[in-house]
Amino acid sequence: MSSSSVNYKNFFYPPGGILLWIIILVEVITFGFALVALAYNNHLEPEIFASSRGMLNTHLATLNTLLLLVSGYFMADAVHGFRANNLKKAKTGFSMAMVGGLLFVGIKSVEYYGKISMDIGLTTNTFFTYYWLLTGFHLVHVLIGLVILLVLRSDLKKKPEALKLEDVEAGAAFWHLCDLIWLVLFPMLYLI
Amino acid sequence: MKNNLFYTLALLFFLTIANALVSNFSFATKITAVALLMLLAAAKFLLVAFRFMELHKAHGFWKAAMIVLVALIVSGVLIAI
């Protein structure tokens, strides 16, 4: 296991690395623009947006939010465990974070199945175009995050000495990015 | 540290439930409801960034960038809706 004493206060070394933080900023800006566009279209077509939003399952989306938050908690705990050379805690954290992510994907699949069986697609109306694109892109991020977690957990199990703290922090930062995006998507799509 | 993370998670849970409850209230104007929901979302966003992603340890630029970005998103939504 390779750990380092990085000075996080240095502009070039935020926790997770500067490259990942640039990606995080770009992603947040991109989703931010999409959310403002969604709000603008909501202003133009309030009835369509209200009736379409009424067809979404708020309970499942709230449950998914809680799952991502718990998953993020375990991810943060795993990083602390790795930093303290507590590999068991780190492994457990990675595993629990992955379970949270997989449950999120499962619930999202149930939600998607419900919409598809009602013939609600990308071109149904403006609201559902946003719904499919935004939740779809977010889901892609969750799936990529799960692959990163799988690789990190596998490396931690097979060759922990080769795993660097910077890599663990970068993987964790990407996983938390999924939380960040969802936290602003959730009220805009399901609650407003 | 584990306790800090756990308290953060508890606060995030509380804010999420508050988010869901607020959406069921009837407000005099739609903008009030949207503002409240987006402010709760922004609070959760910053909690995850600062506590789970450890942004509190980072250079001031990264902290300011995230705060400004989330403020811009909330303002943009409130102006556009």
PDB file of all heavy atoms in Angstrom, chain B residues 1 20-21 23 30 33 35 47 57 63 66:
ATOM      1  N   MET B   1     -13.273  10.904  13.559  1.00  0.00           N
ATOM      2  CA  MET B   1     -13.563  11.180  12.160  1.00  0.00           C
ATOM      3  C   MET B   1     -14.796  10.423  11.693  1.00  0.00           C
ATOM      4  O   MET B   1     -15.644  10.938  10.990  1.00  0.00           O
ATOM      5  CB  MET B   1     -12.338  10.809  11.298  1.00  0.00           C
ATOM      6  CG  MET B   1     -12.495  11.134   9.825  1.00  0.00           C
ATOM      7  SD  MET B   1     -13.028  12.825   9.485  1.00  0.00           S
ATOM      8  CE  MET B   1     -11.496  13.708   9.695  1.00  0.00           C
ATOM      9  N   ALA B  20     -38.322  16.199   0.613  1.00  0.00           N
ATOM     10  CA  ALA B  20     -39.522  15.476   0.175  1.00  0.00           C
ATOM     11  C   ALA B  20     -40.776  16.066   0.829  1.00  0.00           C
ATOM     12  O   ALA B  20     -41.817  16.198   0.179  1.00  0.00           O
ATOM     13  CB  ALA B  20     -39.395  13.995   0.503  1.00  0.00           C
ATOM     14  N   LEU B  21     -40.667  16.453   2.116  1.00  0.00           N
ATOM     15  CA  LEU B  21     -41.832  17.015   2.827  1.00  0.00           C
ATOM     16  C   LEU B  21     -42.203  18.390   2.268  1.00  0.00           C
ATOM     17  O   LEU B  21     -43.381  18.681   2.059  1.00  0.00           O
ATOM     18  CB  LEU B  21     -41.543  17.119   4.328  1.00  0.00           C
ATOM     19  CG  LEU B  21     -41.443  15.788   5.083  1.00  0.00           C
ATOM     20  CD1 LEU B  21     -41.063  16.029   6.537  1.00  0.00           C
ATOM     21  CD2 LEU B  21     -42.775  15.025   5.003  1.00  0.00           C
ATOM     22  N   SER B  23     -41.848  19.508  -0.623  1.00  0.00           N
ATOM     23  CA  SER B  23     -42.487  19.405  -1.947  1.00  0.00           C
ATOM     24  C   SER B  23     -43.991  19.127  -1.831  1.00  0.00           C
ATOM     25  O   SER B  23     -44.745  19.354  -2.772  1.00  0.00           O
ATOM     26  CB  SER B  23     -41.814  18.328  -2.790  1.00  0.00           C
ATOM     27  OG  SER B  23     -42.104  17.062  -2.266  1.00  0.00           O
ATOM     28  N   LYS B  30     -45.125  29.689  -6.337  1.00  0.00           N
ATOM     29  CA  LYS B  30     -44.286  28.560  -6.761  1.00  0.00           C
ATOM     30  C   LYS B  30     -42.812  28.851  -6.513  1.00  0.00           C
ATOM     31  O   LYS B  30     -42.048  27.963  -6.131  1.00  0.00           O
ATOM     32  CB  LYS B  30     -44.522  28.280  -8.250  1.00  0.00           C
ATOM     33  CG  LYS B  30     -43.800  27.036  -8.745  1.00  0.00           C
ATOM     34  CD  LYS B  30     -44.115  26.742 -10.185  1.00  0.00           C
ATOM     35  CE  LYS B  30     -43.280  25.608 -10.731  1.00  0.00           C
ATOM     36  NZ  LYS B  30     -43.589  24.323 -10.171  1.00  0.00           N
ATOM     37  N   ALA B  33     -41.529  27.782  -3.108  1.00  0.00           N
ATOM     38  CA  ALA B  33     -41.300  26.341  -2.997  1.00  0.00           C
ATOM     39  C   ALA B  33     -40.006  25.952  -3.714  1.00  0.00           C
ATOM     40  O   ALA B  33     -39.181  25.201  -3.180  1.00  0.00           O
ATOM     41  CB  ALA B  33     -42.484  25.585  -3.596  1.00  0.00           C
ATOM     42  N   ALA B  35     -37.446  27.872  -4.437  1.00  0.00           N
ATOM     43  CA  ALA B  35     -36.286  28.424  -3.731  1.00  0.00           C
ATOM     44  C   ALA B  35     -35.919  27.546  -2.533  1.00  0.00           C
ATOM     45  O   ALA B  35     -34.747  27.228  -2.321  1.00  0.00           O
ATOM     46  CB  ALA B  35     -36.586  29.848  -3.268  1.00  0.00           C
ATOM     47  N   LEU B  47     -22.523  19.924   1.608  1.00  0.00           N
ATOM     48  CA  LEU B  47     -22.143  18.987   2.682  1.00  0.00           C
ATOM     49  C   LEU B  47     -21.353  17.809   2.118  1.00  0.00           C
ATOM     50  O   LEU B  47     -20.324  17.412   2.672  1.00  0.00           O
ATOM     51  CB  LEU B  47     -23.397  18.457   3.390  1.00  0.00           C
ATOM     52  CG  LEU B  47     -23.870  19.205   4.636  1.00  0.00           C
ATOM     53  CD1 LEU B  47     -25.181  18.611   5.125  1.00  0.00           C
ATOM     54  CD2 LEU B  47     -22.833  19.126   5.747  1.00  0.00           C
ATOM     55  N   LYS B  57     -10.314  20.547   3.151  1.00  0.00           N
ATOM     56  CA  LYS B  57      -8.847  20.512   3.259  1.00  0.00           C
ATOM     57  C   LYS B  57      -8.168  21.183   2.071  1.00  0.00           C
ATOM     58  O   LYS B  57      -6.958  21.372   2.088  1.00  0.00           O
ATOM     59  CB  LYS B  57      -8.370  19.041   3.283  1.00  0.00           C
ATOM     60  CG  LYS B  57      -8.763  18.259   4.508  1.00  0.00           C
ATOM     61  CD  LYS B  57      -8.217  16.854   4.355  1.00  0.00           C
ATOM     62  CE  LYS B  57      -8.570  15.971   5.523  1.00  0.00           C
ATOM     63  NZ  LYS B  57      -8.157  14.571   5.262  1.00  0.00           N
ATOM     64  N   LYS B  63     -12.689  25.455  -3.049  1.00  0.00           N
ATOM     65  CA  LYS B  63     -13.859  25.686  -2.186  1.00  0.00           C
ATOM     66  C   LYS B  63     -14.744  26.770  -2.804  1.00  0.00           C
ATOM     67  O   LYS B  63     -15.955  26.597  -2.933  1.00  0.00           O
ATOM     68  CB  LYS B  63     -13.405  26.155  -0.795  1.00  0.00           C
ATOM     69  CG  LYS B  63     -12.590  25.165  -0.019  1.00  0.00           C
ATOM     70  CD  LYS B  63     -12.179  25.796   1.307  1.00  0.00           C
ATOM     71  CE  LYS B  63     -11.085  24.993   1.966  1.00  0.00           C
ATOM     72  NZ  LYS B  63     -10.577  25.586   3.178  1.00  0.00           N
ATOM     73  N   MET B  66     -16.682  25.656  -5.995  1.00  0.00           N
ATOM     74  CA  MET B  66     -17.882  24.841  -5.770  1.00  0.00           C
ATOM     75  C   MET B  66     -19.030  25.678  -5.211  1.00  0.00           C
ATOM     76  O   MET B  66     -20.188  25.519  -5.612  1.00  0.00           O
ATOM     77  CB  MET B  66     -17.583  23.678  -4.812  1.00  0.00           C
ATOM     78  CG  MET B  66     -16.737  22.597  -5.420  1.00  0.00           C
ATOM     79  SD  MET B  66     -17.446  21.907  -6.935  1.00  0.00           S
ATOM     80  CE  MET B  66     -18.294  20.503  -6.276  1.00  0.00           C
TER      81      MET B  66
END
